[in-house]
Amino acid sequence: MTTTSTTPADLDHLLSLVRTSVEVIARHQDEGGAYPASPTFSAYKGYAWFRDGSFIAEGMSRAGQVESVDRFHRWAGDLLLSRAEQVAALLRRADAGEELPVEDMLPTRFRFDGSDGQDPWWDFQTDGYGMWLWQLVEHTSRHGLPLEPHCEAIAVAVDYLLATWSKPCYDWWEEHVEERHPSTLAPVRAGLLAVAAAHGTDGTALLDGERVERSRAVAEQISALVAEEAMTSGRASDPSAAHLAKWFGSEMVDASLAACVVPFGLVEPGSAVAEATLEAVARDLEVDGGVHRFQADVFYGGGQWLLLSALLGWNHARAGREAEAWRHLRWIAAHATDDGEMPEQVPDHLRHPDFRQEWLDRWGPVAEPLLWSHGMYLILADELGLIPDTSETLS
Ligand code: BGC
C-alpha cells in the first residue's frame, strides 16, 4: 500500500468512508433492488439509472455486498424482461432498415417498481445497457456466481444494443442527442464483448451463436468507427498527441472519456491514444484533484465531480501511477460531509459561476448523497487496497 503522505489519521478517515459508502448505498437501496441516484435531490428522487446503478453495483461487488448487487441485477433483469417484446420489435425494424424514432426507445431512468417515469427526461441513452452487461459479468465472475439465471434478460439487453448502437443518442450527461460519443460506445462495446465471451456453469456459451457473432461484429465496427471518426487532430506542435474526442468530429475533451481506457478498454490502456486522452482530461479538466465534466459545463456553475475524480484515479492506479490515484482518493474524502455523505459535485472551482444560482433556483441544492459518488469511491479505494476481502470486516 503506497500511502506516501497519508498519516494514520488520514487512513482512518479514508477507511471510515469505505464503511460509510457501503452503508449509505445499502440504506437507500430499494427493497426491490433499484439503486436510487439520489434519495433526496429534487430532479432525481424516485428514479434509478442503469448508468449510475452499474457503477454503484461495481463498488458494492468489490466491497463484498453480494446480496445487494444480486438484487440490483434481478431488478434490472426483470425490468428488461418486461420489455422483451418492445425490444424484439425494435430489432426486427432495425434489421429491416427502418429509421427508429427516439420516442420508441427504452427510457434512460426508471421508477423503482420498474415502470417508466411520468416526468419528461432526456430519454434515449444506450451506455447504461452496456454498463449493465459489463457489470453483471464482472460481478458474477468475481464471486463465482452463475450467469444462467440472467440469460434471457441479457439477450434482451444485447438485442436492444444491436438495434440501437449506431444511432446518435444523449451522452453520459444527457446532452447532445444529435452526436455520437465514444464514452457511450465504449460501454456498449465492452458489454457486448463481455457477454459474447461468457460461459454457463456447464462450460457452454451463454448466448446463442447468432447473438455472439453479431455482438462481436458490432464491437469491431465500434473500434473501427472510433479510430476513424472520433480522434482529435492533436496539437499543431505534436500531432501524435491526438486523443479521443467528446463526440465524432469534435476537438473537445470530456472527463467521461477516461472510461474508454479503464474500465471499458475501447482503447488499449497504456497505448499512445489512451495516454493522450488521460493527459487531455487531466490538463483541461482537473484542478487540485477535482475533475470537471467538460469546459463548457454550466450545470450548477460547472463544479468538480467526485465520481470523475475517482474515474481518473482508477485509471492512474491501473497505469501504476499510485501517488496520483491516492491524490484523487484524498480529494474525494476531503469533500465528503462530516457524516461521510458524498455530493455529486462541489463548487470550490466553478467553470461558469454565473450559472450556479439559476440551477439552485430551479432544482435546489446539489444532489447529496449521490450514490454514484459513493460507488466510485469504493472502486478507487479497492484499487488502492483499502477494501478487505470479506463483507464481515466492513460492518
Ligand atoms: C447526470 C447523469 C446521471 C444523473 C443521475 C445527471 O445530472 O448528467 O450522468 O446519470 O444525473 O445521477
Side-chain angles (χ1 to χ4, degrees), residues 231-244 251 272-273 276:
M231 296 289 298
T232 61
S233 50
R235 274 167 281 155
S237 56
D238 178 13
S240 71
H243 58 77
L244 290 172
E251 287 293 318
V273 182

Side-chain angles (χ1 to χ4, degrees), residues 37 44 49 51-52 172-174 293 299 305 344 370 372:
Y44 306 166
W49 277 249
R51 174 176 43 251
D52 299 45
W172 282 33
W173 317 128
E174 319 191 286
R293 297 194 297 180
F299 186 50
W305 285 50
E344 173 189 78
L370 186 84
W372 189 4

Side-chain angles (χ1 to χ4, degrees), residues 74 161 198 283 339 363 384 395:
R74 280 199 300 276
L161 294 176
R283 183 185 63 234
D339 295 340
W363 279 357
L384 293 170
S395 47

Side-chain angles (χ1 to χ4, degrees), residues 257-276:
L257 288 170
C260 297
V261 185
V262 170
F264 300 127
L266 171 61
V267 293
E268 184 65 24
S271 64
V273 182
E275 288 298 294

